[in-house]
Amino acid sequence: GRGVLPRAMAALGAYRCIECNGEATELYRDYRRGVLRISICKSCQKPVDKYIEYDPVIILINAVLCKAQAYRHILFNTKINIHGKLCVFCLLCEAYLRWLQLQDSSQNTDPDDLIRYAKEWDFYRMFGIASLEQTSFFIGISITLWWMTPEMLKRKSDFILLLKALLLSTYGKLLLIPAVIWEHDYAPLCLMFIKVFVLISNSQAIRVTLNLNRILPWFAIFIGLIFENGVVCLFQKMGWDV
């Protein structure tokens, strides 16, 4: 099929082979007049990045399937810079879900209150709580990985790349909105599946970024969840609904 080549991919730089995670100086070579040749990895003798000629929809499907090759393509071989905006939008989705559940628990069905609810500070409080929980989750993961694999996180750029990978891998939280809109009896089960999917994506992002085995990322996520639940317990002791 017809692919979409990422911008500035012809320039020399540090890329990664999506198959073996080996370094490469280029993804393809341009012979002019539209003739391109994908570079071959010197380590595994496979194309460095076959996704550069794939349609973005195919890449997205492979990312949803948590394929390591798709994650390497997105993290190392593209110029995606939406992690900050994606993080804010995901937090807004989570805050909206919590705010909606809080309004349901109040059992106030007066339609005149809908506009007033939108202006209340409860939504912003939920956004702040969700932000603190996610921050503590990331801190727990970073501390664990730095303690277990200090050679992988020596520089500030290593932490930035890890943070970017974690932020991008939380895209599954966008499914919270459809789960709320299409409300049905299995909504709690759907929310649980979304949570599990996000954790699986986080694990794959950590594994790809630091080139680790499957066990250590899950251990780091477990510690991150302990940090996150610690923040939840703190807010509950303060008498706040979370």
Side-chain angles (χ1 to χ4, degrees), residues 75-87:
L75 293 173
F76 299 121
N77 299 338
T78 60
K79 306 297 180 181
I80 292 180
N81 193 28
I82 63 170
H83 48 282
K85 296 178 181 179
L86 179 63
C87 173

Side-chain angles (χ1 to χ4, degrees), residues 146-187:
W146 176 77
W147 176 56
M148 298 291 292
T149 60
E151 69 281 358
M152 296 291 183
L153 296 170
K154 294 180 180 180
R155 299 166 297 180
K156 181 180 178 181
S157 59
D158 297 330
F159 283 98
I160 293 176
L161 180 61
L162 175 62
L163 178 61
K164 178 181 177 180
L166 288 172
L167 291 175
L168 288 175
S169 62
T170 58
Y171 67 91
K173 290 185 178 181
L174 297 177
L175 298 173
L176 291 173
I177 294 300
V180 173
I181 294 176
W182 299 325
E183 184 177 357
H184 48 73
D185 295 337
Y186 299 101

Side-chain angles (χ1 to χ4, degrees), residues 6 35 40 58 63 99 108 144 154 219-220:
V35 179
I40 302 299
I58 303 299
W99 175 81
N108 192 329
T144 304
K154 294 180 180 180
F219 177 72

Side-chain angles (χ1 to χ4, degrees), residues 135-149 153 159 162-163 166 206 210 220-221 223-224:
T135 301
S136 61
F137 177 66
F138 289 165
I139 289 176
I141 290 176
S142 300
I143 292 176
T144 304
L145 293 174
W146 176 77
W147 176 56
M148 298 291 292
T149 60
L153 296 170
F159 283 98
L162 175 62
L163 178 61
L166 288 172
I206 296 171
L210 302 181
I221 287 175
I223 300 299

Side-chain angles (χ1 to χ4, degrees), residues 7 28 71 80 83 110 120 150 154 209:
R7 297 178 180 178
Y28 65 88
Y71 274 74
I80 292 180
H83 48 282
D110 188 354
E120 287 182 349
K154 294 180 180 180
T209 303

Side-chain angles (χ1 to χ4, degrees), residues 8-210:
M9 286 290 101
L12 294 179
Y15 301 107
R16 297 286 184 89
C17 173
I18 64 172
E19 300 293 341
C20 68
N21 202 39
E23 294 185 356
T25 57
E26 60 183 3
L27 299 181
Y28 65 88
R29 183 161 296 181
D30 189 352
Y31 291 98
R32 299 180 181 179
R33 296 182 181 180
V35 179
L36 303 175
R37 181 181 179 183
I38 298 179
S39 300
I40 302 299
C41 178
K42 295 180 181 179
S43 300
C44 64
Q45 300 302 315
K46 294 182 179 179
V48 172
D49 192 344
K50 63 183 180 181
Y51 286 115
I52 62 175
E53 59 177 3
Y54 279 31
D55 190 271
V57 176
I58 303 299
I59 299 174
L60 178 60
I61 292 174
N62 280 264
V64 171
L65 295 175
C66 291
K67 290 190 175 182
Q69 294 88 342
Y71 274 74
R72 291 192 183 103
H73 167 77
I74 295 172
L75 293 173
F76 299 121
N77 299 338
T78 60
K79 306 297 180 181
I80 292 180
N81 193 28
I82 63 170
H83 48 282
K85 296 178 181 179
L86 179 63
C87 173
V88 173
F89 193 72
C90 288
L91 288 174
L92 287 173
C93 293
E94 189 168 356
Y96 173 75
L97 176 62
R98 296 185 181 194
W99 175 81
L100 193 63
Q101 292 174 339
L102 184 64
Q103 304 310 317
D104 291 341
S105 64
S106 66
Q107 297 181 352
N108 192 329
T109 59
D110 188 354
D112 295 334
D113 289 336
L114 293 177
I115 297 178
R116 181 173 62 85
Y117 283 154
K119 296 181 179 180
E120 287 182 349
W121 78 289
D122 280 341
F123 175 79
Y124 303 102
R125 179 166 62 89
M126 292 300 170
F127 179 82
I129 292 174
S131 301
L132 289 175
E133 289 180 6
Q134 181 164 293
T135 301
S136 61
F137 177 66
F138 289 165
I139 289 176
I141 290 176
S142 300
I143 292 176
T144 304
L145 293 174
W146 176 77
W147 176 56
M148 298 291 292
T149 60
E151 69 281 358
M152 296 291 183
L153 296 170
K154 294 180 180 180
R155 299 166 297 180
K156 181 180 178 181
S157 59
D158 297 330
F159 283 98
I160 293 176
L161 180 61
L162 175 62
L163 178 61
K164 178 181 177 180
L166 288 172
L167 291 175
L168 288 175
S169 62
T170 58
Y171 67 91
K173 290 185 178 181
L174 297 177
L175 298 173
L176 291 173
I177 294 300
V180 173
I181 294 176
W182 299 325
E183 184 177 357
H184 48 73
D185 295 337
Y186 299 101
L189 184 62
C190 291
L191 297 179
M192 183 188 69
F193 277 124
I194 291 173
K195 178 68 174 179
V196 172
F197 175 74
V198 171
L199 293 179
I200 293 175
S201 300
N202 292 153
S203 173
Q204 189 71 311
I206 296 171
R207 189 170 75 90
V208 167
T209 303
L210 302 181

